[in-house]
Amino acid sequence: MSAFVLAVMAGTFISMGATFMLVIKSDSELPFAATQLLGGFSFTLGLFLILAAGAELFTGNCLMVMGPLAGRFSWGSLLRSWGVVLAGNLVGSVLAAALVLAADVASANGGALGQAAVAVAEGKVALGWGVAFSRAVLCNLLVCLAVWVGHSANSVTDKFFSALLPVMAFMAAGFEHCVANMFFIPLGLMLNGGAFPALTAAAFAKNLFFVTIGNAAGGAIFVALFYFLIFRKELTKA
């Protein structure tokens, strides 16, 4: 139960970072690079809160692949844990989207924030599966590196800077994060009003499937597996 509640918190934290990012996206006068960099900086709020306050995020938990590889627990236990955390992340993200809608945050900047939210969601569901998967792999390579570095942090300041550059990089490059999409796309669906017919629940499910698989592959293979191979002797000690 505690893992599920912590996962709900993580979904909410990521959603707050995503809302912060939409404020930047709503300003059409900013140049592209400035929008991407400032958006990435603001989105860092989510992972920083997870590292500093404590919560369960699926993308970061892809590092747990090291456990079965080291014989510490079973693959079945890992998959059950991932399932609980994914469900909690989804609940927290959708709940946050509903609260953002109820708070009328979309009306900010003369309604430009709401327009930006719908545009972000529409852009995500328009991605082909191969593009979504590849962007998700690259995203979680960076997120898991941020978490890996964050685990060695000794202060709140260290945790912030552990998250900062990797998160800024993946957001600026337009990579795909499944938990962020659990907020962006439902919020877009709530605000859409039929403006984008392709923005549907089915399109959300398709995007979420391929992005989740890509995030799992990126974190599990390019970070967890590689570091396990480097530190295998230390990790498999009784």
Side-chain angles (χ1 to χ4, degrees):
M1 185 63 182
S2 60
F4 179 80
V5 175
L6 287 167
V8 171
M9 292 171 63
T12 305
F13 294 164
I14 291 293
S15 300
M16 294 301 96
T19 304
F20 193 5
M21 190 202 81
L22 287 173
V23 175
I24 307 299
K25 289 279 190 183
S26 72
D27 190 345
S28 60
E29 296 183 2
L30 287 172
F32 172 76
T35 299
Q36 296 301 98
L37 287 172
L38 291 172
F41 179 83
S42 56
F43 188 82
T44 303
L45 171 68
L47 187 59
F48 167 63
L49 289 174
I50 289 165
L51 292 175
E56 294 289 328
L57 182 69
F58 168 75
T59 47
N61 283 9
C62 289
L63 289 170
M64 291 172 62
V65 164
M66 289 184 180
L69 289 173
R72 299 298 179 90
F73 50 86
S74 70
W75 289 102
S77 296
L78 174 66
L79 292 176
R80 285 192 294 272
S81 173
W82 278 358
V84 170
V85 171
L86 270 172
N89 289 165
L90 180 61
V91 169
S93 299
V94 174
L95 178 61
L99 287 171
V100 167
L101 181 73
D104 198 24
V105 175
S107 66
N109 194 14
L113 191 147
Q115 294 171 13
V118 175
V120 168
E122 193 276 334
K124 290 180 177 300
V125 300
L127 296 174
W129 74 266
V131 173
F133 175 85
S134 299
R135 290 185 182 185
V137 170
L138 293 167
C139 169
N140 214 29
L141 185 159
L142 289 167
V143 171
C144 282
L145 285 172
V147 173
W148 179 263
V149 174
H151 283 164
S152 66
N154 295 315
S155 69
V156 172
T157 302
D158 292 342
K159 291 179 187 295
F160 174 75
F161 283 105
S162 298
L164 182 60
L165 286 178
V167 173
M168 282 185 71
F170 97 70
M171 288 302 297
F175 297 156
E176 292 290 301
H177 187 274
C178 66
V179 182
N181 288 7
M182 291 175 183
F183 170 80
F184 282 128
I185 302 177
L187 180 61
L189 284 166
M190 295 173 192
L191 293 169
N192 185 25
F196 294 97
L199 185 52
T200 63
F204 170 44
K206 180 180 177 182
N207 173 273
L208 191 60
F209 174 78
F210 288 112
V211 172
T212 301
I213 297 299
N215 285 162
I221 297 171
F222 291 103
V223 183
L225 176 60
F226 285 6
Y227 276 114
F228 173 78
L229 293 174
I230 294 168
F231 298 109
R232 184 171 183 173
K233 290 183 180 180
E234 292 87 343
L235 291 169
T236 53
K237 283 181 181 178

